[in-house]
Short mmCIF file of all heavy atoms in Angstrom, two decimals:
data_model
loop_
_atom_site.label_atom_id
_atom_site.label_comp_id
_atom_site.label_asym_id
_atom_site.label_seq_id
_atom_site.Cartn_x
_atom_site.Cartn_y
_atom_site.Cartn_z
N GLU A 183 4.50 -5.58 8.04
CA GLU A 183 3.51 -6.12 8.97
C GLU A 183 2.28 -5.24 8.93
O GLU A 183 2.39 -4.01 8.89
CB GLU A 183 4.06 -6.16 10.40
CG GLU A 183 5.14 -7.19 10.61
CD GLU A 183 5.58 -7.29 12.07
OE1 GLU A 183 4.90 -6.71 12.95
OE2 GLU A 183 6.61 -7.91 12.31
N LEU A 184 1.11 -5.86 8.95
CA LEU A 184 -0.15 -5.14 8.98
C LEU A 184 -0.84 -5.41 10.30
O LEU A 184 -0.85 -6.53 10.79
CB LEU A 184 -1.05 -5.59 7.82
CG LEU A 184 -0.54 -5.27 6.42
CD1 LEU A 184 -1.46 -5.91 5.38
CD2 LEU A 184 -0.45 -3.78 6.19
N ASP A 185 -1.41 -4.36 10.87
CA ASP A 185 -2.17 -4.48 12.12
C ASP A 185 -3.57 -3.95 11.81
O ASP A 185 -3.74 -2.77 11.49
CB ASP A 185 -1.50 -3.66 13.22
CG ASP A 185 -2.12 -3.91 14.58
OD1 ASP A 185 -2.97 -4.81 14.70
OD2 ASP A 185 -1.75 -3.20 15.54
N SER A 186 -4.57 -4.84 11.89
CA SER A 186 -5.92 -4.47 11.49
C SER A 186 -6.92 -4.73 12.61
O SER A 186 -6.82 -5.70 13.34
CB SER A 186 -6.31 -5.27 10.24
OG SER A 186 -7.60 -4.92 9.82
N LYS A 187 -7.92 -3.86 12.67
CA LYS A 187 -8.99 -4.02 13.65
C LYS A 187 -10.19 -4.75 13.05
O LYS A 187 -11.15 -5.04 13.74
CB LYS A 187 -9.43 -2.65 14.17
CG LYS A 187 -8.33 -1.95 14.94
CD LYS A 187 -8.75 -0.58 15.41
CE LYS A 187 -7.59 0.08 16.14
NZ LYS A 187 -7.86 1.48 16.44
N LEU A 188 -10.15 -5.04 11.73
CA LEU A 188 -11.21 -5.79 11.08
C LEU A 188 -10.64 -6.60 9.93
O LEU A 188 -9.57 -6.30 9.42
CB LEU A 188 -12.33 -4.87 10.59
CG LEU A 188 -11.99 -3.87 9.51
CD1 LEU A 188 -13.25 -3.51 8.76
CD2 LEU A 188 -11.42 -2.62 10.13
N ALA A 189 -11.33 -7.66 9.57
CA ALA A 189 -10.88 -8.53 8.49
C ALA A 189 -11.28 -7.94 7.14
O ALA A 189 -12.40 -7.48 6.97
CB ALA A 189 -11.49 -9.92 8.65
N LEU A 190 -10.34 -7.96 6.20
CA LEU A 190 -10.58 -7.46 4.85
C LEU A 190 -10.11 -8.53 3.87
O LEU A 190 -8.97 -9.00 3.96
CB LEU A 190 -9.81 -6.16 4.60
CG LEU A 190 -10.15 -4.99 5.52
CD1 LEU A 190 -9.17 -3.85 5.34
CD2 LEU A 190 -11.57 -4.51 5.26
N ASN A 191 -10.96 -8.91 2.93
CA ASN A 191 -10.62 -9.97 1.98
C ASN A 191 -10.36 -9.39 0.59
O ASN A 191 -10.96 -8.39 0.20
CB ASN A 191 -11.74 -11.01 1.89
CG ASN A 191 -11.89 -11.75 3.20
OD1 ASN A 191 -10.92 -12.05 3.87
ND2 ASN A 191 -13.13 -12.03 3.56
N GLY A 192 -9.50 -10.06 -0.15
CA GLY A 192 -9.22 -9.67 -1.52
C GLY A 192 -8.57 -8.31 -1.63
O GLY A 192 -8.93 -7.51 -2.49
N VAL A 193 -7.59 -8.05 -0.80
CA VAL A 193 -6.92 -6.74 -0.77
C VAL A 193 -5.74 -6.73 -1.73
O VAL A 193 -4.93 -7.65 -1.74
CB VAL A 193 -6.44 -6.41 0.66
CG1 VAL A 193 -5.66 -5.11 0.69
CG2 VAL A 193 -7.62 -6.35 1.62
N ARG A 194 -5.64 -5.70 -2.53
CA ARG A 194 -4.49 -5.49 -3.40
C ARG A 194 -3.73 -4.29 -2.87
O ARG A 194 -4.27 -3.20 -2.75
CB ARG A 194 -4.94 -5.24 -4.83
CG ARG A 194 -3.78 -5.06 -5.76
CD ARG A 194 -4.23 -4.98 -7.20
NE ARG A 194 -3.08 -4.75 -8.03
CZ ARG A 194 -3.13 -4.53 -9.31
NH1 ARG A 194 -4.30 -4.51 -9.91
NH2 ARG A 194 -2.04 -4.35 -10.01
N ALA A 195 -2.46 -4.49 -2.54
CA ALA A 195 -1.65 -3.43 -1.96
C ALA A 195 -0.84 -2.74 -3.05
O ALA A 195 -0.23 -3.38 -3.90
CB ALA A 195 -0.72 -4.01 -0.90
N VAL A 196 -0.84 -1.40 -3.02
CA VAL A 196 -0.10 -0.59 -3.98
C VAL A 196 0.80 0.37 -3.22
O VAL A 196 0.36 1.04 -2.28
CB VAL A 196 -1.08 0.20 -4.88
CG1 VAL A 196 -0.32 1.10 -5.84
CG2 VAL A 196 -1.99 -0.74 -5.65
N TRP A 197 2.07 0.43 -3.62
CA TRP A 197 3.07 1.29 -2.98
C TRP A 197 3.30 2.50 -3.85
O TRP A 197 3.56 2.38 -5.05
CB TRP A 197 4.37 0.51 -2.81
CG TRP A 197 5.47 1.28 -2.17
CD1 TRP A 197 6.61 1.72 -2.76
CD2 TRP A 197 5.55 1.71 -0.81
NE1 TRP A 197 7.40 2.38 -1.86
CE2 TRP A 197 6.76 2.39 -0.66
CE3 TRP A 197 4.69 1.59 0.28
CZ2 TRP A 197 7.15 2.95 0.56
CZ3 TRP A 197 5.08 2.13 1.48
CH2 TRP A 197 6.29 2.80 1.61
N ILE A 198 3.23 3.70 -3.29
CA ILE A 198 3.46 4.93 -4.04
C ILE A 198 4.62 5.67 -3.39
O ILE A 198 4.54 6.04 -2.22
CB ILE A 198 2.21 5.82 -4.07
CG1 ILE A 198 1.05 5.08 -4.73
CG2 ILE A 198 2.50 7.13 -4.79
CD1 ILE A 198 -0.26 5.82 -4.71
N ASP A 199 5.68 5.88 -4.16
CA ASP A 199 6.83 6.63 -3.69
C ASP A 199 6.70 8.03 -4.29
O ASP A 199 6.95 8.23 -5.47
CB ASP A 199 8.13 5.95 -4.14
CG ASP A 199 9.35 6.65 -3.60
OD1 ASP A 199 9.22 7.77 -3.06
OD2 ASP A 199 10.44 6.08 -3.71
N ARG A 200 6.32 8.99 -3.48
CA ARG A 200 6.04 10.34 -3.97
C ARG A 200 7.27 10.98 -4.62
O ARG A 200 7.15 11.79 -5.53
CB ARG A 200 5.56 11.21 -2.82
CG ARG A 200 5.28 12.64 -3.28
CD ARG A 200 4.82 13.50 -2.17
NE ARG A 200 3.48 13.12 -1.78
CZ ARG A 200 2.84 13.64 -0.76
NH1 ARG A 200 3.43 14.54 -0.02
NH2 ARG A 200 1.63 13.27 -0.46
N ALA A 201 8.45 10.63 -4.17
CA ALA A 201 9.66 11.29 -4.66
C ALA A 201 9.83 11.14 -6.17
O ALA A 201 10.24 12.07 -6.84
CB ALA A 201 10.88 10.73 -3.95
N VAL A 202 9.53 9.98 -6.69
CA VAL A 202 9.72 9.77 -8.12
C VAL A 202 8.39 9.62 -8.85
O VAL A 202 8.36 9.34 -10.03
CB VAL A 202 10.60 8.52 -8.39
CG1 VAL A 202 11.99 8.76 -7.92
CG2 VAL A 202 10.02 7.29 -7.75
N LEU A 203 7.29 9.82 -8.14
CA LEU A 203 5.96 9.72 -8.72
C LEU A 203 5.74 8.42 -9.46
O LEU A 203 5.16 8.37 -10.53
CB LEU A 203 5.69 10.91 -9.64
CG LEU A 203 5.70 12.27 -8.95
CD1 LEU A 203 5.51 13.38 -9.97
CD2 LEU A 203 4.63 12.36 -7.88
N GLN A 204 6.25 7.34 -8.90
CA GLN A 204 6.02 6.03 -9.48
C GLN A 204 5.14 5.21 -8.56
O GLN A 204 5.19 5.38 -7.35
CB GLN A 204 7.34 5.30 -9.71
CG GLN A 204 8.17 5.95 -10.80
CD GLN A 204 9.42 5.16 -11.10
OE1 GLN A 204 9.69 4.15 -10.50
NE2 GLN A 204 10.19 5.64 -12.05
N VAL A 205 4.38 4.32 -9.17
CA VAL A 205 3.47 3.45 -8.43
C VAL A 205 3.92 2.02 -8.65
O VAL A 205 4.17 1.61 -9.77
CB VAL A 205 2.02 3.63 -8.91
CG1 VAL A 205 1.09 2.68 -8.19
CG2 VAL A 205 1.57 5.06 -8.74
N TRP A 206 4.06 1.26 -7.56
CA TRP A 206 4.43 -0.15 -7.67
C TRP A 206 3.39 -1.00 -6.96
O TRP A 206 2.90 -0.63 -5.89
CB TRP A 206 5.77 -0.42 -6.98
CG TRP A 206 6.95 0.17 -7.66
CD1 TRP A 206 7.59 -0.32 -8.75
CD2 TRP A 206 7.62 1.37 -7.31
NE1 TRP A 206 8.64 0.49 -9.08
CE2 TRP A 206 8.68 1.53 -8.22
CE3 TRP A 206 7.44 2.32 -6.32
CZ2 TRP A 206 9.55 2.60 -8.16
CZ3 TRP A 206 8.31 3.39 -6.26
CH2 TRP A 206 9.34 3.52 -7.18
#
C-alpha cells in the first residue's frame, strides 16, 4: 500500500534487498 500526499504519474518501483545486493 502506498500513502502519498501528492499525485505522481509514470512511477516505476524498484525493490532493493540489501542483504543479497540484488535489485528487483
Side-chain angles (χ1 to χ4, degrees):
E183 290 185 12
L184 295 174
D185 189 7
S186 181
K187 295 178 182 171
L188 64 156
L190 300 170
N191 294 322
V193 176
R194 182 173 178 185
V196 177
W197 180 249
I198 300 175
D199 184 348
R200 179 181 289 175
V202 293
L203 298 176
Q204 291 185 359
V205 177
W206 291 280

